[in-house]
Amino acid sequence: MTALVLALAACKGDEKKDASATAQAEQSPWPEVKWPFPEDPALEKRISDLMATMTVEEKVGQLVQGDISSIKPEDLRKYRLGSVLAGGNSDPDGQYNATPAQWLALADAFYEASMDTSGGGKAIPVVFGIDAVHGQSNIVGATLFPHNIGLGATRNPELLRRIGEITALETRATGMEWAFAPTVAVPQDDRWGRSYEGYSESPDVVASFAGAMVEGLQGKVGTKEFLDGRHVISSVKHFLGDGGTANGEDQGDTQLSEAELVRIHAASYPPAIAAGAQSVMASFNSVNGVKMHGNKSLLTDALKGRMNFGGFVVGDWNGHGQVEGCTITDCPATINAGLDMAMAPDSWKGFYETTLAAVKAGKISQERLDDAVRRILRVKYRLGLFEAGKPSQRAVGGKFELLGAPEHRAVARQAVRESLVLLKNQDRVLPLQPNQRILVAGDGADDVGKQAGGWTLSWQGTGNKRADFPNADSIFEGIAQQAKAAGGEAVLSVDGSFTQKPDVAIVVFGEDPYAEFQGDIPNLLFRPGNDEHLKLMQRLKAAGIPVVSVFLSGRPLWMNREINASDAFVAAWLPGSEGGGIADVLLRKPDGSVQHDFKGKLSFSWPRDAAQVANNVGQKDYNPQFAFGFGLTYSDDGNLAALPEESGVKAGQTEAGTFYGRGSLADGIVLRLSNAAGQKLDVTTVPAKLPDGSLEVTAVDHEAQEDARRFTWSGKPAATVSLVSSTPRSLMREANGDVMLVLTVRPDKTPAGDVSIGVTCGEGCKPASLPIRAALSKLPAGQWTRFGVLLKCFGTAGADLRKLDSVMTLESAGALQLSISRIELGALNEAQQTLDCAH
Ligand code: BGC
Ligand code: BGC
């Protein structure tokens, strides 16, 4: 602390200070920030006194955070970890729709275990973190705010502050005291699956929100409310450059000069730090080739040094495992780079043990360990955790009536209204009279899960049902209530069919929920190959019915055809639980006057075609369809001439995550046959076979003519089918996120010998292979099934998932006949066959 204070004084032009330090400071593109906590000798003494009694085991424990799906309260009695988290898919008793009471009981149990000294050890309260990223969004009944992309369109920092306060209250009601928010990414490429977690492509807009959101969550520094029982600590994330990766690839590499990195991606850290953010989350991505979890110059020198961040740096989900030379259970380098607490969800035990050993061996210095522990303890003291008692006994613990409380929902509804952006309003078709017959169509019309998006009850936001959202209105429900109250009628018809002709149709359509890399896309086409929604609009228009389109999405996508087919077009982003906010703006009052005008302004530029993927305000040759800041109101002329309908994307581009499908291989993937006799053949046309006949491939039909391949092994000698990648590929993040390698297969003959599936990772690297003969034999013969292997099993089996040169190898030692119609990355539902790591 003292050193930081000195550095600050020097930069303020105190002539007595070292001139070279001043010169250096002037050159640095990093801003100086004032950390709003003056050194507190009483607090430091308390911490020193406690630390003097802590064993090295207890100190190391503070640096580790386990996930509730892999750690039990019992474990905390033995392993004195500093923190637990609930990941997006982690719930009490594995139930995605667990009750608030179950969550609170779990929080109590972890707290009590951390305070239990009956087995020796110090009572140091555990801190429990959760992704309360758009409200306390993992919990049934919580208020679900629009995702950040929608909040960006409001340009209303005061509203953000209120949202932060409510999120904190609802989080505390269920027992946690830490929200992994706000995301202050500045997404630069709309293909990125996390675009919607960012407020804007403009660093200025993001920076204008960061401080308000931190203050909303934590309370204002220096006031009584700061980190009281109604507030939580925040994690500003993901430091640094998450929104700037090449090609918008999640967890990829951000290649920028330091000045640009600071200007764009670091813009929100100064206001967040000045507002007293207690933690910052390190990012999965690399910056100029160096993974952030191992990036000392950015984590330590820039963040903690130049920017005076005095809280602690938490890692992201096994993010340390991606650092060069590290595994998820062993990574002293990340602590040495400046990470204070590792998010080691399922790897906590191994990580704890190796970190302890590294401290004992001097690979992590005592000083670094103590600094990390002290940073974490400071936050726990500031939070008053040592005196707080168990979560259920704190200020609002157990006050479940706060979840989705009417006044909270009213704020969320205001946010929905202010986030809507009107792109077209031909002949002033909007606002609509409520006392007419309104047809509400499209697959987003009556689907709260879809309007809420990812990070809702589950990681991907999928697999939920209406009953999981007791405190919510679908968009249709909101319209129906108001129409009815005005003497009109709204009719729900997802496919748009009707018996009595409506006066107007509202078509609600858009992206299905996704999170993180699972949302990465190759271009800005919406549902390539499926134009149902467009045909629906065109049918309605052809019947002489005015069409108002409401588009739900986590990013701007190329919409020219849909806009042409609509009389009015509204970008509604991912509004969350308050579908009623849409009716508030689209419908007039019963007396015919306007209820609420449009206020939303684009915080992301809208693309002119589907290839305009990185389209950001201020850049050279900026030429969007609708510019950053665009958004019509009811006083504007909303007429729009027909837009060009050329997508700019060439046909036949492969789907993301599919290595083989519909009869073709993904770009950069080769189908290779090889055998134990050393014969090798790259298949360019079928049928094809190895010279000795040991392996043969022909075309067969599954869903389309010749879309599948049938492989026949003679068993003499053993032979292998491989999907070879022309450049080494990393499937690290997919493995980390529990993604599977999924084959759509049909066993035509049962295996007569050993069969194995695996991956290879180049010369000098151990390939992985898992026996699957037994599993294959159990698949229904002659029928198509989806068969999946968790990618992480290949890692467990020893392969380096960072540099795969084949993404699948399938070897059979005996005779076998197997047809395959698809090889892809994906998840399986219970109905399908899986092979676990232990097979
Ligand atoms: C995400 C973080 C999140 C964490 C815990 C990670 O995969 O990148 O944003 O806070 O998981 O769920
Ligand atoms: C977890 C998420 C996490 C992700 C990491 C999932 O299994 O539930 O919270 O962010 O893995 O990629």
Side-chain angles (χ1 to χ4, degrees), residues 149-150 152-155 199-202 205 418-423 555-556 569-573 599-607 615 617 622 624-632:
I149 193 168
T154 71
R155 303 288 203 282
Y199 297 115
S200 177
E201 71 190 23
S202 151
V205 172
E418 295 189 15
S419 69
L420 304 177
V421 181
L422 180 63
L423 298 181
R555 51 195 149 204
F569 193 95
V570 178
W573 317 111
K599 285 193 172 167
K601 304 291 170 205
L602 290 179
S603 64
F604 284 71
S605 306
W606 203 278
N615 176 38
V617 60
Y622 180 59
Q625 187 68 59
F626 299 101
F628 172 85
F630 183 83
L632 297 165

Side-chain angles (χ1 to χ4, degrees), residues 56 60 330-333 335-336 353-369:
V56 62
V60 170
D330 189 2
C331 193
I335 304 295
N336 287 334
E353 276 157 4
T354 56
T355 305
L356 182 62
V359 168
K360 288 184 173 163
K363 285 192 218 152
I364 296 172
S365 69
Q366 194 61 48
E367 197 192 348
R368 176 75 267 272
L369 174 68

Side-chain angles (χ1 to χ4, degrees), residues 87-90 131 251 284 317 455 459 516-517 733 736-738:
N89 278 336
S90 310
D131 289 294
Q251 306 186 17
F284 274 125
W317 193 268
W455 298 107
W459 181 35
E516 300 190 46
F517 54 85
R733 52 180 202 164
N736 205 7
D738 284 350

Side-chain angles (χ1 to χ4, degrees), residues 67 69 85-90 131 138 180 194 250-251 284 316-318 322 343 345 455 458-460 515-518 732-739 792:
D67 179 86
S69 61
L85 88 145
N89 278 336
S90 310
D131 289 294
N138 267 290
F180 299 134
R194 304 192 81 155
D250 190 41
Q251 306 186 17
F284 274 125
D316 202 346
W317 193 268
N318 278 329
Q322 300 186 15
M343 189 183 286
W455 298 107
S458 69
W459 181 35
Q460 296 294 319
E516 300 190 46
F517 54 85
Q518 294 197 26
M732 193 81 181
R733 52 180 202 164
E734 288 83 356
N736 205 7
D738 284 350
V739 170
K792 70 175 168 208

